[in-house]
Amino acid sequence: MAHHNEDEGSIGTSMHGVTAREQVFSFSVQGEDDGPSSHTVGFDDPTAKFALPVDSEHRATAFKPFSFAKPHMRAFHLGWISFFTCFISTFAAAPLVPIIRDNLDLTKSDIGNAGVASVSGAIFSRLAMGAVCDLLGARYGTAFLLMLSAPTVFSMSFVSDAGGYLSVRFMIGFCLATFVSCQYWTSVMFNGKIIGLVNGCAGGWGDMGGGVTQLLMPMVFHVIKLAGATPFTAWRIAFFIPGFLQVIMGILVLTLGQDLPDGNLSTLQKRGEVSKDKFTKVFWYAVLNYRTYVLFLLYGFSMGIEMTINNVISEYFFDRFQLELHTAGMIAASFGMANFFARPLGGYASDISARFFGMRGRLWTLWILQTSGGIFCVWLGRATSLPIAILSMMLFSVGVQAACGAIFGIVPFVSRRSLGLISGLTGAGGNFGSGLTQLIFFSSSKFHAADGLSLMGIMGMIFTLLVAFIHFPQWGSMFFGPTSDEKKSKEEHYYAAEWTEEEKRQGLHEGSLKFAENSRSERGRKAASDGSSPSTPPENGNPAHV
Amino acid sequence: MAIHKIILASFIVYLMIQFSHGATKERLFSDLEKDALDVTAKPSRQGVLDAGIDKLSITWKLRSTAKKQANFTTIKVKLCYAPVSQVDRPWRKTENELFKDKTCPHKIITRAYNKSSQSFKYTLDRDIPTGTYFVRTYAVDAKDHEVAFGQSTSEAKPTKLFSVQAISGRHKSLDIASVCFSVFSVLALLVFFVNEKRKAKLEQSK
């Protein structure tokens, strides 16, 4: 970066606004080389132009959810709302299935297959999204997804059979990659000490879209019917609402947002300020790490199950308990809306357990949360009365969503070099799990939906046992302590192993070493008694909730 | 903590009520008197009927063999799915418990019971799905409980069924609006993108 001053902007030191002569910056922040307008009074302290306190990389060190100040908080809000909008679009069909299935003469298999298709597209788009954001910046990454998938949402008006329905749901599903662009954007805007909370909120609040859509779409449908349309036309018109939301958000992201704290990517790249690692290396180290695959599967049975429920729960309540469409929608919505607090709660629980028991605490927390989610899912399937079904569903939602938050308490420690790709892969695992569970349990007439739910819960609990296989030589695993080998039990050894000798000689692994030192807190209480290491939480405590 | 105890207690009480309530809900289809009414449903034309356009001429009359007619207060006429339209569609399943049965979800008409022959000309509603159907009339008593029924088809080998083709729900105006908004979305994105690339190039050349 051009400026290397080490001023950690703590709250109260920002001089922004004090002299009333600070320049108001529009979208592209001009550098020191440009015209007289950028020579402001507070120029000696470049951090003065930010509304929030920032660190040396101009990442915000404070999180103020009620603020819309540019660039940090604005990026946060634009990011999570874009992701939220895409969740609305992807699951918009679910609460309307009782109407759509009559209009298009769908069978249970048709409905199930379309549900699988709706989450499958994002497996690939999430994997590609990291690279896209590197190339185009977070703004265009997000805007491309929003505005290029809006036509697919509008095209629901053309659908006339099962095949068309499946294709459109498949194409809409690609926009779930906004998840990656959202966390990418917050990761460049917020300092590692708070990134856990920031990403937990962004992830959780975005996921809420899957709940809100269950309320929104039946309501919109009802209003359109009142305006005079027949049901088989009204549901098609209802799809225009998520479509509009996507286009509006896309325009807002492009006009109000900024890629990086110092400006937009195209401007900064031309100045040579942004450097990247080699993709082949990043990919190689992600693929070689067995923990990547374990996390892929684990997330498939927390986020994956959550997405499956978003697709099936409204229809389930409608059919099983003979409810009105909007009543079923309301109940289904409360499942997704629990994300507002459940996911950040999971991340927080992971952080607390790490304070006492280190990484082993995080692993146990994950296992407990995800298994209890599975137990309550089984109970939901067994429930024959409405109040018990709702109670078990709420407990199930908290368990499974907190597990999502807890998984991302662990992901950042699996790799430093390939963090972005592993986060993306874990996210893709969620979609894979959702497609798999919908295919097995909800696409054929072999099981009643109720049995499908119970069996899915059991399958989830079995796969959650895989947590026991995540072992870190420096910290241990659920059942084993850290290795006794003198060399291998150092964090530096684990993270430096991702760089070749040549790269180490060039000093490219410095960032990993710094991270390793900060990650010593994952030893739990022992780290505090260990004198030689800092007892403060690591620099990147709990990043990248995907 | 007191509030938690109250909530838990009221919840348990509610559950008890639910469990006991469930026990009285088992009125069964098999308990109803079969073929109490003679029902005919004549389509207005041959072939597959169009929802929203074609009509059915429905007539129903008390059969001389009926026993429970003293209880009949209202007649409910409904459109029902034939077995072929229930395949792989568990939301249309036939169940013996009346409150769970989903065979006849579409109401045609409800009329007070009259001993003489009744008829009704029914125009197929625009939200009738594509499928194969028959007509069933339920005779209902003063407590709104079904006591008997009659239907336009025979139970063993379904005959006299008719097919309906649903409306598509699509409209040209909707299609056009959809295309317009899609084009706007893509164009807006391209305009922003090209503009910004141009601005960046200009800045670099400075």
Side-chain angles (χ1 to χ4, degrees):
Chain A
M1 298 292 283
H3 8 81
H4 284 284
N5 69 61
E6 289 299 310
D7 292 350
E8 281 275 355
S10 52
I11 298 171
T13 59
S14 165
M15 298 294 283
H16 187 72
V18 166
T19 64
R21 276 183 278 162
E22 274 80 2
Q23 183 184 39
V24 173
F25 286 85
S26 63
F27 59 177
S28 221
V29 174
Q30 308 296 307
E32 39 280 49
D33 311 305
D34 299 277
S37 56
S38 50
H39 287 243
T40 60
V41 172
F43 195 68
D44 310 291
D45 178 10
T47 62
K49 62 190 181 196
F50 296 114
L52 293 176
V54 294
D55 64 11
S56 58
E57 283 179 302
H58 296 173
R59 297 184 193 207
T61 53
F63 176 53
K64 296 204 178 103
F66 290 110
S67 155
F68 280 83
K70 65 193 283 84
H72 309 98
M73 288 317 303
R74 211 175 274 194
F76 169 77
H77 287 297
L78 288 170
W80 81 259
I81 298 178
S82 305
F83 177 40
F84 174 86
T85 307
C86 289
F87 245 87
I88 290 185
S89 305
T90 306
F91 295 104
L96 296 178
V97 161
I99 309 296
I100 302 177
R101 68 190 179 194
D102 279 344
N103 188 186
L104 306 177
D105 200 23
L106 303 176
T107 62
K108 184 170 179 187
S109 332
D110 294 330
I111 297 172
N113 291 335
V116 174
S118 69
V119 295
S120 311
I123 296 178
F124 309 103
S125 61
R126 281 183 175 194
L127 291 175
M129 204 53 204
V132 170
C133 286
D134 278 337
L135 271 175
L136 298 175
R139 276 164 68 233
Y140 274 105
T142 311
F144 262 85
L145 279 172
L146 285 167
M147 295 172 91
L148 291 183
S149 61
T152 61
V153 179
F154 291 124
S155 63
M156 267 297 191
S157 54
F158 292 100
V159 164
S160 55
D161 60 11
Y165 178 64
L166 187 138
S167 330
V168 171
R169 285 207 75 182
F170 176 66
M171 291 191 294
I172 296 178
F174 279 93
C175 70
L176 279 185
T178 33
F179 179 31
V180 178
S181 64
C182 169
Q183 66 105 340
Y184 183 102
W185 209 357
T186 49
S187 299
V188 303
M189 287 286 180
F190 291 89
N191 177 275
K193 283 201 175 72
I194 53 167
I195 193 64
L197 180 64
V198 173
N199 272 330
C201 290
W205 298 353
D207 288 348
M208 267 202 311
V212 166
T213 197
Q214 317 270 1
L215 261 178
L216 179 72
M217 296 304 284
M219 239 189 277
V220 170
F221 171 72
H222 190 68
V223 167
I224 296 174
K225 260 203 312 179
L226 285 178
T230 58
F232 291 175
T233 305
W235 75 266
R236 296 165 189 276
I237 302 176
F239 264 83
F240 276 69
I241 302 298
F244 289 151
L245 286 175
Q246 279 191 227
V247 176
I248 294 170
M249 272 320 293
I251 295 177
L252 284 178
V253 161
L254 290 174
T255 51
L256 296 178
Q258 192 173 301
D259 288 315
L260 297 159
D262 290 321
N264 280 321
L265 190 68
S266 40
T267 320
L268 296 174
Q269 267 175 339
K270 302 261 187 280
R271 279 193 247 142
E273 286 177 27
V274 181
S275 63
K276 309 182 285 187
D277 196 352
K278 265 208 282 216
F279 179 73
T280 42
K281 287 282 170 163
V282 167
F283 182 77
W284 185 240
Y285 286 108
V287 160
L288 279 184
N289 195 330
Y290 79 92
R291 299 171 195 83
T292 308
Y293 305 102
V294 176
L295 289 170
F296 179 91
L297 287 172
L298 284 173
Y299 202 58
F301 285 92
S302 52
M303 189 63 196
I305 289 189
E306 185 187 329
M307 284 199 273
T308 296
I309 294 289
N310 279 337
N311 259 337
V312 308
I313 198 72
S314 185
E315 196 189 349
Y316 176 74
F317 274 97
F318 181 87
D319 289 335
R320 182 135 156 115
F321 299 102
Q322 287 85 48
L323 302 172
E324 294 286 334
L325 199 71
H326 50 265
T327 315
M330 246 187 282
I331 297 174
S334 38
F335 176 84
M337 308 256 259
N339 259 306
F340 182 75
F341 65 88
R343 189 165 171 143
L345 186 73
Y348 185 65
S350 183
D351 285 346
I352 299 275
S353 59
R355 231 183 277 170
F356 295 103
F357 304 108
M359 176 55 70
R360 296 182 76 182
R362 289 191 193 272
L363 293 167
W364 273 99
T365 304
L366 169 60
W367 182 82
I368 291 170
L369 288 170
Q370 198 155 320
T371 304
S372 38
I375 292 175
F376 291 122
C377 185
V378 174
W379 194 23
L380 172 62
R382 301 284 94 233
T384 46
S385 79
L386 190 60
I388 304 251
I390 295 178
L391 174 68
S392 54
M393 187 195 75
M394 290 314 299
L395 292 169
F396 164 43
S397 73
V398 174
V400 98
Q401 287 159 11
C404 292
I407 289 191
F408 277 88
I410 296 170
V411 166
F413 296 99
V414 169
S415 161
R416 190 72 200 96
R417 190 171 190 181
S418 313
L419 172 60
L421 187 59
I422 292 185
S423 299
L425 277 167
T426 307
N431 287 72
F432 170 77
S434 180
L436 186 71
T437 46
Q438 284 181 81
L439 192 64
I440 298 176
F441 300 114
F442 300 101
S443 299
S444 69
S445 296
K446 236 192 293 172
F447 309 112
H448 290 271
D451 294 330
L453 285 170
S454 299
L455 290 169
M456 183 170 74
I458 294 175
M459 188 175 183
M461 285 194 277
I462 295 175
F463 272 84
T464 305
L465 294 171
L466 287 173
V467 180
F469 288 95
I470 299 182
H471 179 87
F472 289 91
Q474 68 274 32
W475 300 315
S477 62
M478 274 172 82
F479 298 109
F480 298 106
T483 173
S484 44
D485 183 312
E486 183 60 46
K487 205 174 62 151
K488 290 218 184 111
S489 64
K490 289 254 162 13
E491 286 83 357
E492 280 79 1
H493 177 89
Y494 180 81
Y495 292 109
E498 293 180 321
W499 302 89
T500 62
E501 285 311 316
E502 172 64 40
E503 288 163 336
K504 282 191 209 171
R505 247 178 286 137
Q506 293 178 27
L508 293 174
H509 67 310
E510 294 293 316
S512 288
L513 287 181
K514 233 202 270 179
F515 178 75
E517 195 184 309
N518 284 326
S519 71
R520 255 194 268 285
S521 61
E522 291 306 303
R523 291 190 189 181
R525 281 256 179 78
K526 271 199 285 164
S529 60
D530 204 1
S532 59
S533 47
S535 52
T536 50
E539 196 203 309
N540 286 294
N542 208 2
H545 285 240
V546 184
Chain B
M1 274 321 279
I3 191 80
H4 288 157
K5 288 197 189 126
I6 294 171
I7 292 175
L8 187 65
S10 47
F11 202 74
I12 291 174
V13 168
Y14 185 45
L15 291 180
M16 301 277 185
I17 296 173
Q18 277 294 317
F19 285 135
S20 52
H21 190 46
T24 60
K25 267 202 188 142
E26 282 167 26
R27 287 180 294 120
L28 301 173
F29 184 72
S30 45
D31 292 340
L32 302 182
E33 190 187 338
K34 271 172 46 171
D35 297 324
L37 299 140
D38 263 326
V39 182
T40 59
K42 216 171 98 141
S44 55
R45 62 179 183 89
Q46 291 282 24
V48 178
L49 305 172
D50 286 322
I53 302 174
D54 289 322
K55 299 193 195 354
L56 283 176
S57 264
I58 306 171
T59 58
W60 62 95
K61 194 174 97 158
L62 185 70
R63 241 199 217 177
S64 48
T65 51
K67 294 186 204 82
K68 293 188 192 161
Q69 76 265 39
N71 297 339
F72 295 2
T73 33
T74 333
I75 301 289
K76 290 187 183 169
V77 186
K78 292 192 180 170
L79 193 65
C80 310
Y81 293 111
V84 61
S85 282
Q86 291 174 304
V87 170
D88 205 12
R89 292 180 175 87
W91 57 89
R92 295 180 184 172
K93 207 163 157 220
T94 302
E95 300 267 4
N96 203 8
E97 285 146 308
L98 282 170
F99 80 99
K100 272 195 199 168
D101 184 34
K102 310 261 185 61
T103 325
C104 306
H106 305 285
K107 295 192 180 70
I108 296 178
I109 183 111
T110 301
R111 264 204 208 155
Y113 168 64
N114 194 310
K115 258 191 297 190
S116 55
S117 173
Q118 300 288 302
S119 70
F120 179 66
K121 228 183 174 79
Y122 169 61
T123 310
L124 292 160
D125 280 334
R126 288 169 74 200
D127 62 353
I128 302 286
T130 304
T132 312
Y133 297 86
F134 62 94
V135 172
R136 183 182 287 169
T137 56
Y138 284 103
V140 170
D141 70 8
K143 279 188 283 173
D144 204 28
H145 289 173
E146 291 85 352
V147 278
F149 72 93
Q151 53 194 24
S152 65
T153 182
S154 63
E155 194 167 322
K157 208 186 354 175
T159 52
K160 297 194 198 144
L161 301 169
F162 51 92
S163 294
V164 177
Q165 174 65 41
I167 60 166
S168 75
R170 290 181 54 189
H171 282 280
K172 211 175 228 141
S173 52
L174 216 59
D175 293 345
I176 294 173
S178 165
V179 170
C180 285
F181 287 119
S182 306
V183 166
F184 170 73
S185 180
V186 177
L187 271 183
L189 179 69
L190 284 174
V191 162
F192 271 100
F193 192 66
V194 165
N195 234 7
E196 204 157 308
K197 284 273 167 196
R198 214 187 308 144
K199 252 196 240 160
K201 264 209 197 108
L202 281 173
E203 210 197 270
Q204 198 195 20
S205 63
K206 271 198 199 141

